Amino acid sequence: MPPATVARLPGYLRALEVVAAEGCVLTSSDELADRVGVTPAQLRKDLSFLGSYGVRGVGYDVAHLREQVRVVLGLADERRVVLVGVGNLGHALANYAGIAQRGFALVALVDADPRVVGTTVAGLVVQPADRLAEVVASTGATIAVLTTPATVAQDVCDRLVAAGVVGILTFAPAALRVPPHVDVRAVDVASELQILAFHEARRAATGGA
């Protein structure tokens, strides 16, 4: 399956969950594509990789398609997540209800600051960084969210990989090096803002065109 298609699947799943919550049993490619912001042709092509083609004149079975997308995304079983770095961003992510709503279980919080260790955030007691491997092993976490400073991000990443984590979502402004079997997704808010600033400046230079 093409990476671009994989990147669009979460949007399809989100739209299908909204459609299901509205009580719809069937949906058309036009309606679903409009909700996601892609063309109907693109949506149909993406869904064909799932073996789902809909029924002409009827559309897609919402419940069935939603389950197909969940299975392909690996969400048939709950994924256990450890969050490392319980600063302001870590606090916000720990309390984000969308994690559980999307099929993930936040099972542990870890931090190196002794002032933070032992405190309770989102119902979890923050564990010390020197117990990271033990925490990963005892909770069965396979995914980590990393919100540490850039200076320690690679070291923490290495320890997570050694402990058995195979997926890392990092907010640290640093390029992480991982072995081939580990996937890293980076979220750099500052870079995204800079890209928006670039486009705004270009529009201003061309008179808003």
Side-chain angles (χ1 to χ4, degrees):
M1 185 178 296
T5 295
V6 176
R8 287 187 287 268
L9 291 181
Y12 296 154
L13 179 58
R14 184 167 57 250
L16 286 163
E17 288 172 343
V18 171
V19 169
E22 293 173 353
C24 298
V25 176
L26 298 170
T27 186
S28 67
S29 57
D30 287 351
E31 178 185 8
L32 198 56
D34 183 62
R35 288 176 181 266
V36 179
V38 299
T39 66
Q42 181 66 71
L43 180 137
R44 288 191 293 269
K45 181 178 179 180
D46 287 341
L47 295 184
S48 70
F49 288 105
L50 280 64
S52 185
Y53 299 93
V55 178
R56 183 178 298 276
V58 177
Y60 294 92
D61 181 299
V62 172
H64 177 67
L65 181 56
R66 180 176 59 176
E67 186 59 25
Q68 278 187 302
V69 176
R70 284 181 57 81
V71 169
V72 171
L73 284 173
L75 300 177
D77 298 314
E78 187 178 65
R79 301 294 174 175
R80 301 169 76 79
V81 179
V82 57
L83 188 151
V84 185
V86 193
N88 291 333
L89 178 56
H91 267 81
L93 292 172
N95 285 287
Y96 175 49
I99 292 177
Q101 292 171 353
R102 294 295 187 271
F104 299 89
L106 183 61
V107 294
L109 304 175
V110 177
D111 200 279
D113 189 340
R115 295 169 299 180
V116 177
V117 173
T119 62
T120 300
V121 178
L124 294 170
V125 177
V126 180
Q127 301 296 318
D130 59 10
R131 294 189 62 240
L132 181 57
E134 181 184 340
V135 168
V136 171
S138 64
T139 60
T142 57
I143 297 175
V145 177
L146 192 57
T147 61
T148 65
T151 52
V152 299
Q154 185 63 56
D155 177 63
V156 174
C157 173
D158 292 342
R159 293 169 60 197
L160 286 166
V161 171
V165 166
V166 294
I168 298 174
L169 175 64
T170 177
F171 289 82
L176 300 180
R177 300 178 299 278
V178 297
H181 72 281
V182 177
D183 293 305
V184 174
R185 300 289 296 179
V187 180
D188 189 335
V189 176
S191 292
E192 296 301 325
L193 288 171
Q194 289 168 343
I195 292 170
L196 289 175
F198 165 80
H199 289 297
E200 182 181 358
R202 289 291 296 271
R203 284 193 298 271
T206 57

